[in-house]
Amino acid sequence: MAVRWSGPTPELLIPLERGGGPLTAQLQRELRRTIRDGRLTAGERLPSSRSLAAHLGVSRGLVVECYEQLVAEGYLVTAAGSGTRVAREVAEATREPPTAETEELHPRVDVDFEYGIPDLASFPTHDWLWAMAEAARTAPNAVMGDEHGAGSARLRSVVTAYHRRVRAGTADTGDAVIVGGFRHGLNLVFGALARRGVDLVGLENPGPREHDVIARRAGLNPAPVRVDADGVDVEALRRSGARAVLVTPAHQCPTGVALTPRRRRDLIAWAESVDGWILEDDYDAEFRYDRQPVGSLQGLAPERVVALGSVSKTLAPGMRIGWILAPPRLRDDLVRAKQLSSRGVPALDQLALAELIESGRFDRHLRRMRTVYAARRAVLVETLAERRPDLALEGLVAGCHAVLRLPDGADEAAVAEEALTASVMVKPLGAYRLPDPPDTRPHRPALVIGFGNVDETRIKHGVGVLAGIVP
C-alpha cells in the first residue's frame, strides 16, 4: 500500500558520485534500482524535479530528463496535479513473492470467532478525540518529557478510584503502576516474582494462550492447574508446589466459569499458607448478563493479590494502556523494572484516558456495549438452538465468548480446520491447554466462540457453517 504524502514528499536518498561517470546515467540507474528493490512502492509519489535537484545539487533539467526517460521505460507515470509516481505494473512485477515469514499469520475470513477481541467498529472515536483535545489543552509542558515513576498520578488516581467503586477493590494511587497493556504488566510481575525466589507459577489449564511462554521468558516454570465448574482447583494448585498463580476469577478464560465464593476463600488461604501471590486477570468483568457483579480478589487480600487490568477489552487492544495494582512490598520493584524496560506509556494517552473515565463517557460506552454484546449473545444462542438444538453453549453469563460443547468423540481440531476451509475461524478448546507437561486425561471436545467483534449477520452465518460441520 503506497503512502499518500499529503504535503512535500520526504527526501529520497540517491547516491551520486562526482567523477564516477555521467550524472544523468547514475541517477537513472539509481532510480531504477530504488524501484526494483521496493524502496519506492507502487503508486508512491517521487519528489518534485525541483526539490530532488536541490537535494542532489544538480540542475533541474537533469532530473527532468531522468524522469522522462523512466516514464518512457514504464518505471514511472505522470498525471496532471498528482506529480510523478511509481508505475504499478513495474512495482508489482519486481516484487518478490511473500515468504512464510511475511504472510499473514491470521488469514482473512468471512467470520472470525476469535476470542478476546471487542467490537472494534464501536470504539468511541468522538469521545476519545474530545478527551485527547482536553488532555493536550490542559497538560503542563513537563508532561511531554520522559516519564518518571509509576505513570500519570491522575490516571493512577482515577483507575484506583474506579476499581474501588466498581470492583470493590482497596488499592489507592500509590499502589498503581501504569503499563503498556496487560502483557507488559504481566512480564513485569513475573520478573519481580522470579527475583524474589519464586520459581513455579500456577497457570489455569485450559487458560489464556502463551502465558506459559511469558512465564518461562521471565525465569519462572509454569505449572498447569486444572479448572472445573467452580474455577481453578485450589487443591491441585497446592499439590503443584507453586508459590504464585495467575487466575481469571470473574469469567475464566476460556471456559467462562466464575470462581465460586468458597474457592475464593480457599485460594486466599492457600496464598497465606505458602507465603504466595495471586495474580488476578480481571479482563472482562464489566460485561455481565445473568448475574450480579463479582468483586475483585484484590479487595479481599490486598497484601497477597496483584490485580492486572487494561482497556483492551473495554475500548480496544490498540490502546495499549494497562495497570498493575500491587502490594507496597512489590511496587518499587515493578516501577524500577518498568523504567528499565521502557520510558513509559504515552503521556497524553494517559491523561486522555483519565479524562474519559472521569467525564462519564467511559461508563456510557460500557453501557452501550453491554447492550450490543447482549444482542449478539442472544443471536448466538437462538441460532444454535434453531440449527443444532443437540449442542450446548457454556460460559455465557459474562464476557464476549462462549464454549460450544461438541458430541463425545468429535475431533475439535478437525471441525475447526474444516470450518476454516469455509472461511469461518474458530479455535478448538485444546488450543488453550498447556502443552508441557501434556494433560493425558480425556476432555470433552469443544470450540471457543468469540462474538465481540462479529456482527449478528455473521454470527448467524458462522453458526450455520458450524452446524453443518459438527457431527
Side-chain angles (χ1 to χ4, degrees):
M1 179 179 177
V3 176
R4 297 182 178 274
W5 307 108
S6 58
T9 59
E11 295 178 349
L12 181 61
L13 179 60
I14 298 289
L16 296 180
E17 183 181 351
R18 265 66 178 177
L23 294 179
T24 303
Q26 288 189 52
L27 181 55
Q28 291 177 12
R29 182 177 64 248
E30 292 301 324
L31 284 173
R32 293 187 195 99
R33 181 179 299 164
T34 297
I35 294 170
R36 287 196 298 265
D37 292 347
R39 288 176 53 205
L40 290 174
T41 59
E44 191 167 354
R45 184 157 56 94
L46 274 70
S48 69
S49 57
R50 190 182 305 276
S51 65
L52 184 58
H55 173 60
L56 296 177
V58 298
S59 70
R60 183 187 178 199
L62 184 150
V63 176
V64 170
E65 181 183 348
C66 290
Y67 278 8
E68 289 175 346
Q69 177 62 33
L70 267 65
V71 168
E73 295 176 8
Y75 280 92
L76 302 177
V77 293
T78 59
S82 65
T84 303
R85 298 178 181 274
V86 177
R88 188 168 302 278
E89 294 79 6
V90 172
E92 293 292 339
T94 58
R95 181 183 301 165
E96 293 185 3
T99 63
E101 289 76 20
T102 59
E103 290 176 344
E104 289 186 76
L105 296 177
H106 200 61
R108 294 184 180 181
V109 293
D110 293 336
V111 182
D112 190 350
F113 283 130
E114 177 62 88
Y115 146 84
I117 308 296
D119 185 16
L120 303 180
S122 294
F123 179 80
T125 303
H126 179 77
D127 288 340
W128 182 250
L129 291 175
W130 170 86
M132 284 292 286
E134 285 297 297
R137 183 179 65 83
T138 59
N141 293 337
V143 163
M144 302 310 294
D146 280 337
E147 179 182 288
H148 298 287
S152 163
R154 182 182 176 196
L155 180 57
R156 290 187 287 121
S157 176
V158 169
V159 164
T160 51
Y162 190 87
H163 192 259
R164 291 194 300 270
R165 289 176 63 95
V166 178
R167 306 292 297 120
T170 61
D172 59 26
T173 304
D175 300 321
V177 181
I178 304 301
V179 292
F182 173 82
R183 285 199 173 190
H184 182 207
L186 186 61
N187 273 281
L188 297 181
V189 174
F190 276 167
L193 295 182
R195 287 188 291 275
R196 277 167 168 69
V198 175
D199 62 353
L200 201 62
V201 59
L203 299 179
E204 294 174 322
N205 191 30
R209 300 196 297 270
E210 297 185 325
H211 286 180
D212 57 323
V213 179
I214 297 172
R216 289 191 180 94
R217 288 173 63 89
L220 300 175
N221 293 310
V225 182
R226 67 183 295 268
V227 173
D228 59 25
D230 294 330
V232 67
D233 186 334
V234 179
E235 287 306 312
L237 173 62
R238 193 182 302 277
R239 292 192 299 270
S240 74
R243 283 189 50 226
V245 64
L246 174 61
V247 294
T248 51
H251 185 228
Q252 202 274 331
C253 169
T255 66
V257 302
L259 193 64
T260 63
R262 179 169 182 174
R263 284 280 176 88
R264 287 171 171 252
R265 293 191 297 270
D266 291 346
L267 185 61
I268 293 170
W270 162 83
E272 294 285 353
S273 67
V274 300
D275 189 24
W277 302 86
I278 301 169
L279 281 55
E280 180 179 22
D281 179 4
D282 207 8
Y283 69 100
D284 68 356
E286 291 86 356
F287 303 122
R288 58 186 183 278
Y289 312 106
D290 301 328
R291 72 173 190 209
Q292 293 297 310
V294 179
S296 168
L297 288 172
Q298 191 275 338
L300 300 176
E303 291 300 315
R304 294 291 176 189
V305 177
V306 180
L308 299 102
S310 76
V311 293
S312 292
K313 304 296 188 292
T314 52
L315 291 176
M319 293 291 293
R320 297 270 65 86
I321 301 179
W323 50 87
I324 306 169
L325 307 182
R329 58 191 171 127
L330 196 63
R331 181 186 176 278
D332 288 347
D333 193 354
L334 294 173
V335 172
R336 178 59 176 159
K338 175 190 171 184
Q339 291 173 335
L340 291 173
S341 66
S342 71
R343 287 293 190 180
V345 180
L348 286 181
D349 288 16
Q350 293 187 59
L351 294 178
L353 180 57
E355 196 78 52
L356 194 74
I357 298 173
E358 278 193 296
S359 68
R361 287 168 167 80
F362 180 72
D363 261 5
R364 183 175 66 191
H365 171 71
L366 291 183
R367 288 194 295 271
R368 183 167 68 88
M369 296 315 301
R370 286 190 194 108
T371 302
V372 170
Y373 294 145
R376 293 178 182 180
R377 170 183 179 261
V379 168
L380 176 63
V381 172
E382 292 165 4
T383 306
L384 186 67
E386 292 171 2
R387 301 297 299 271
R388 289 295 297 267
D390 57 311
L391 301 180
L393 286 167
E394 298 176 358
L396 276 168
V397 294
C400 300
H401 76 273
V403 173
L404 174 62
R405 292 294 178 183
L406 304 181
D408 290 340
D411 186 335
E412 60 183 19
V415 170
E417 186 174 347
E418 187 174 349
L420 186 58
T421 64
S423 201
V424 175
M425 173 79 77
V426 65
K427 288 286 194 303
L429 186 61
Y432 297 82
R433 297 192 186 280
L434 294 178
D436 185 24
D439 192 342
T440 57
R441 294 172 302 168
H443 300 286
R444 288 184 59 193
L447 303 174
V448 178
I449 298 182
F451 55 86
N453 198 35
V454 190
D455 64 32
E456 294 170 22
T457 299
R458 284 186 171 85
I459 289 174
K460 291 179 180 178
H461 173 67
V463 171
V465 170
L466 295 175
I469 294 173
V470 175

